[in-house]
Amino acid sequence: MRLTVFGATGGIGGPFVRQALDAGHEVTAVVRGDPAALIDGMRERAGRFIAVRADVMDPVGVEPHISGRDAVVSVLGSPGRGPSTVRVEGARSVTAAMGKADVRRLVIVSTSAAFTEVKDDPFARLVVKPLVRRILKHPFADARGMERVVREADLDWTIVRSPRLTGGGLTRDYRMGVDGGLRGAYRISRADLADCLIGIIDDPDFHRATVSPGY
């Protein structure tokens, strides 16, 4: 597939780009800063990897890098614990650009702890999530706003709600819940989250669904 990814320089984006290329996909990484370092790290993938500079908040600026692609993946996150609209404004811009470019498939990363889900166990529902929400009030508000924007878009979207991210390696030994959370799933490595994203990109069973991966 021909993929465009936003957030390629982050903790999830790096593993995602590498694994997508390993799987045979073509990847365009849209970054706000200088793409030179990212390009240097992928020189052996010449021909299937492009890094371009564009502001994700500018739908007109990112549309050319979405046009003609099979899918868009967003792994943007809110920086720090303070007020942020990176996720919600990024989602608003990307979905608008996808509409103009007539590209329908969107996979976007959210966070599980911002939501109470049907399959949450009592410890998660009554202890873990309320505690984390007090600490990460602003980033979670950004995530909830992002999900509202995505759900209102006329796209074949999948929202992937991640639990706590770790630095572990790729195991592929994770579970997935769909539309309701995943009982007992408190963590996942960034590498395994990237694997999850790649696995569901071209699967129509996950269109307009919320996926919860974890161990």
Side-chain angles (χ1 to χ4, degrees):
M1 298 181 72
R2 294 165 296 174
L3 309 176
T4 293
V5 58
F6 295 91
T9 58
I12 305 169
F16 174 83
V17 169
R18 292 183 183 86
Q19 291 180 36
L21 291 169
D22 287 344
H25 300 301
E26 298 178 13
V27 178
T28 298
V30 180
V31 299
R32 294 187 68 177
D34 186 354
L38 196 56
I39 293 171
D40 287 343
M42 299 290 174
R43 286 198 181 279
E44 73 277 12
R45 316 298 182 94
R48 288 194 296 114
F49 176 76
I50 303 170
V52 296
R53 174 182 278 176
D55 184 354
V56 68
M57 305 304 176
D58 175 15
V60 175
V62 300
E63 182 187 340
H65 309 300
I66 290 174
S67 180
R69 273 48 169 201
D70 299 302
V72 173
V73 178
S74 176
V75 293
L76 295 171
S78 304
R81 298 181 181 179
S84 172
T85 58
V86 168
R87 277 178 156 168
V88 66
E89 294 300 335
R92 192 169 285 128
S93 175
V94 168
T95 55
M98 290 178 68
K100 292 288 187 181
D102 196 27
V103 174
R104 294 196 55 81
R105 185 69 176 118
L106 171 66
V107 177
I108 193 164
V109 173
S110 184
T111 179
S112 172
F115 302 88
T116 299
E117 303 194 80
V118 174
K119 296 176 185 176
D120 285 344
D121 58 60
F123 183 64
R125 185 183 308 112
L126 301 175
V127 179
V128 176
K129 289 189 174 182
L131 176 62
V132 178
R133 284 174 193 154
R134 285 196 293 270
I135 298 171
L136 299 175
K137 173 183 175 181
H138 297 298
F140 286 0
D142 195 19
R144 287 190 289 268
M146 176 196 73
E147 289 205 13
R148 286 192 294 271
V149 170
V150 171
R151 291 177 188 279
E152 291 170 0
D154 182 22
L155 299 172
D156 297 325
W157 50 262
T158 303
I159 295 169
V160 179
R161 289 180 176 171
S162 170
R164 181 174 65 87
L165 293 168
T166 73
L170 177 63
T171 70
R172 296 193 173 95
D173 188 25
Y174 55 86
R175 300 174 289 135
M176 289 196 302
V178 180
D179 292 337
L182 182 63
R183 189 177 184 88
Y186 293 104
R187 61 187 178 87
I188 192 170
S189 72
R190 292 173 178 83
D192 276 335
L193 179 59
D195 183 77
C196 172
L197 300 177
I198 292 166
I200 66 178
I201 287 175
D202 61 350
D203 191 336
D205 287 345
F206 295 102
H207 287 188
R208 303 187 75 82
T210 302
V211 176
S212 300
Y215 304 133

